[in-house]
Amino acid sequence: MGLYARTTVYFKPDDRKHKMPLLPAFVLIGFFIWPAENISIFAGIWQYPNQIGAWSAAHISKWSAWSMPVMMTFTIVANLQHIKHTIAVSKRLRPSEKKTILWNIP
């Protein structure tokens, strides 16, 4: 089984924590972006070259085109979170917590 089939996304729209497999999450996010794109095309926010004369819906292939950047974003964020947990980041001190550093210069 692939990585995406075993990975789960956790989300919290209310007080309860919900989970969903990662692959359906990608597909659903891409689906909801696709109608939003069609609404913005209809509203005249932008047009593709084949829509100059009259409005037409964005092709269904745009659904997968929007799913790909979502997959890349999830991958980048997951890797950055992994890096964040593996390196030690120094805590920035408030002015009242700063200590005097004495330098020993020979």
Side-chain angles (χ1 to χ4, degrees), residues 25-35 62-64 66-67 70:
F26 290 153
V27 171
L28 283 172
I29 292 169
F31 171 75
F32 285 113
I33 292 174
W34 181 72
K62 293 294 246 171
W63 184 353
S64 62
W66 280 113
S67 296
V70 171

Side-chain angles (χ1 to χ4, degrees), residues 28-93:
L28 283 172
I29 292 169
F31 171 75
F32 285 113
I33 292 174
W34 181 72
E37 180 181 20
N38 281 314
I39 291 168
S40 59
I41 291 169
F42 182 75
I45 295 172
W46 72 75
Q47 292 178 340
Y48 291 107
N50 66 333
Q51 299 166 331
I52 302 269
W55 180 84
S56 64
H59 194 268
I60 193 74
S61 66
K62 293 294 246 171
W63 184 353
S64 62
W66 280 113
S67 296
M68 182 60 75
V70 171
M71 288 182 208
M72 292 174 20
T73 303
F74 268 72
T75 305
I76 290 168
V77 169
N79 284 327
L80 289 176
Q81 286 182 348
H82 174 71
I83 291 169
K84 179 182 174 184
H85 293 298
T86 57
I87 61 173
V89 178
S90 64
K91 180 182 170 186
R92 184 175 238 177
L93 298 176

Side-chain angles (χ1 to χ4, degrees), residues 1-10 19-26 74-75 78:
M1 211 175 246
L3 171 69
Y4 295 122
R6 294 184 303 220
T7 309
T8 304
V9 175
Y10 294 92
K19 65 181 182 177
M20 171 185 277
L22 192 57
L23 192 57
F26 290 153
F74 268 72
T75 305

